[in-house]
Amino acid sequence: MKAADYLPHIAYDSVILGYSDGELKILIMEYHNTGMFALPGGFVKIQEDLEDAVRRGLKERTGLDHIFLEQFHTFGSRARYQPEIMRTILIANGHEPDGDYHWLLDRFISVAYYALINYTEVVPTPDALSDSCRWYAIDKLPALILDHQEIVKKALQTLRDNLDRKLMSGNLLPPRFTMNELQRVYESILGAPLRRTSFQRRMLSLELLERHEKHYSGKAHKAPYLYSFKNS
Amino acid sequence: MKAADYLPHIAYDSVILGYSDGELKILIMEYHNTGMFALPGGFVKIQEDLEDAVRRGLKERTGLDHIFLEQFHTFGSRARYQPEIMRTILIANGHEPDGDYHWLLDRFISVAYYALINYTEVVPTPDALSDSCRWYAIDKLPALILDHQEIVKKALQTLRDNLDRKLMSGNLLPPRFTMNELQRVYESILGAPLRRTSFQRRMLSLELLERHEKHYSGKAHKAPYLYSFKNS
DNA sequence: TATTATTGTTACAAAATGAGACAATAATGA
DNA sequence: TCATTATTGTCTCATTTTGTAACAATAATA
């Protein structure tokens, strides 16, 4: 990763959201030998669209293409300029900066995106500077570097608006799911319980769902229908 | 404006919205001797928060402080890299770039903000490269450079969500206004007519308005009440 | 003093939502 | 085989919100 290939001062961070075991989860990276945790991020090549750079990073970290991705905020306060953190990370990776300067030690402004992906299809893959890349439940995140906690918070706030459309375009759920599973995803994103019957009526009235065969779980009760999102 | 003072590759653009004569208006700059129109924008100093940079620019262009300002998107496609446009502007201003390089000719990623300001308090002031800075009705904009048309469009889309809160925090209207004036602002932002009685009922039920004395316009009909936004 | 335009409020209908009731299952186990 | 249990899909009724229109109350004017 050479300085000349990338736009200086510009980074991106991604809040990669998946869903499993009834919980919303985020992909978090840990840097080698530092105990520091961060959102997966990266930099923009000179000859590359901003959004393409983010998709490239997502592909590297998750193996996934064609992901639902939305930009939600750009973080540019001076307070996020803490070169000693990046210096620690570089040193821990054997990249002792020559003299006192390295382009990664400059001030960066970060454009933040969130992605809704299918947990089961992902193979978390750390990058060159990190030794792990794994899922954390949204309410059990480790302490994150810089303003990454704030970035996560803002991602969730954004996600809560127009949730119907976003869930429909994203991939948090498998292709077919029950109404109950859908409701649990809503609840974990909104952080509040919903009334079953009202939820079912509202979802059906949106006309975004297609009903399929029943799903026999082996449990001792009526089998629920499976649904999928229309045109996806 | 020297290269060393600013973060390279990072710019901001502002969609400055005002309201007068029943129309929503935008502040647009025209560059000297080029016939090119653009949103007021600028750059971020090395020692400056991103948002402070935008407020500094707003202060220079409008004379106003403490403005309602919200970031809504960051534009980073490669297609917006058109150095010949900036070269034309520089040359028209007598800044013939030495040799072939000038930092303003590099690729820029732009963070876009919109502001809701009080039209009557503004003294539009062009910057060093422009010869005019004036108001245009939202539906009568001149052709803008780069992706600035798209930026305006996205600003309006964003503004339409949670409009109540934004209007209340912004300053499109004078401190006291009639229900009719408020309705016209809504209509010009939403681009659609609203029903008078429903609008009045909804506004009052939000409990955001405070009712004051009547306003006698001299017209031959019942005088409307004046309102203000609570706690502002 | 009647006329005109516009306003604030009320009244009623229509639509959306809240809250609960209830019948219809799948499996289980007596 | 048949009652039991947990959960689902749907229906009902009350409540709230919104759409639509009506109407009385003005300010100025002629």
Side-chain angles (χ1 to χ4, degrees), chain B residues 10-158:
Chain B
I10 297 171
Y12 69 83
D13 285 298
S14 50
V15 178
I16 304 175
L17 296 166
Y19 181 80
S20 83
D21 298 327
E23 283 183 319
L24 200 60
K25 300 192 171 160
I26 303 188
L27 212 51
I28 298 287
M29 303 196 322
E30 179 173 4
Y31 289 111
H32 278 124
N33 310 319
T34 60
M36 291 199 289
F37 296 85
L39 292 170
F43 308 98
V44 185
K45 291 185 180 169
I46 304 260
Q47 298 285 351
E48 185 179 43
D49 281 6
L50 170 60
E51 186 171 312
D52 290 344
V54 183
R55 290 193 185 279
R56 177 172 50 79
L58 274 174
K59 169 82 175 157
E60 289 165 6
R61 260 48 159 269
T62 68
L64 298 181
D65 260 333
H66 307 299
I67 282 176
F68 177 74
L69 184 67
E70 277 198 356
Q71 187 197 112
F72 61 93
H73 198 71
T74 295
F75 296 82
S77 84
R78 221 177 9 166
R80 72 194 313 284
Y81 174 45
Q82 298 182 24
E84 59 287 3
I85 290 182
M86 185 52 77
R87 179 181 298 277
T88 303
I89 293 169
L90 286 172
I91 290 175
N93 279 273
H95 296 290
E96 175 85 38
D98 298 339
D100 229 15
Y101 182 76
H102 187 290
W103 70 290
L104 287 175
L105 299 178
D106 272 335
R107 174 179 170 192
F108 276 84
I109 278 177
S110 181
V111 188
Y113 288 75
Y114 69 87
L116 305 182
I117 60 98
N118 184 338
Y119 180 91
T120 62
E121 290 179 10
V122 172
V123 185
T125 310
D127 66 18
L129 295 178
S130 350
D131 63 1
S132 83
C133 184
R134 64 182 207 77
W135 295 102
Y136 287 83
I138 192 87
D139 53 354
K140 287 169 198 152
L141 293 184
L144 305 177
I145 63 169
L146 299 178
D147 52 359
H148 287 199
Q149 198 75 52
E150 187 191 343
I151 295 177
V152 170
K153 192 174 155 199
K154 187 129 193 157
L156 285 173
Q157 281 171 356
T158 307

Side-chain angles (χ1 to χ4, degrees), chain A residues 23-39:
Chain A
E23 286 183 318
L24 199 61
K25 299 190 172 160
I26 302 189
L27 211 51
I28 299 287
M29 304 196 321
E30 180 174 2
Y31 289 111
H32 277 124
N33 311 319
T34 61
M36 291 200 288
F37 297 85
L39 291 170

Side-chain angles (χ1 to χ4, degrees), chain B residues 155-176:
Chain B
L156 285 173
Q157 281 171 356
T158 307
L159 183 55
R160 288 185 184 122
D161 296 335
N162 289 104
L163 189 50
D164 301 327
R165 176 183 64 75
K166 291 170 182 172
L167 277 185
M168 159 144 182
S169 308
N171 277 86
L172 285 186
L173 285 163
R176 299 202 171 183

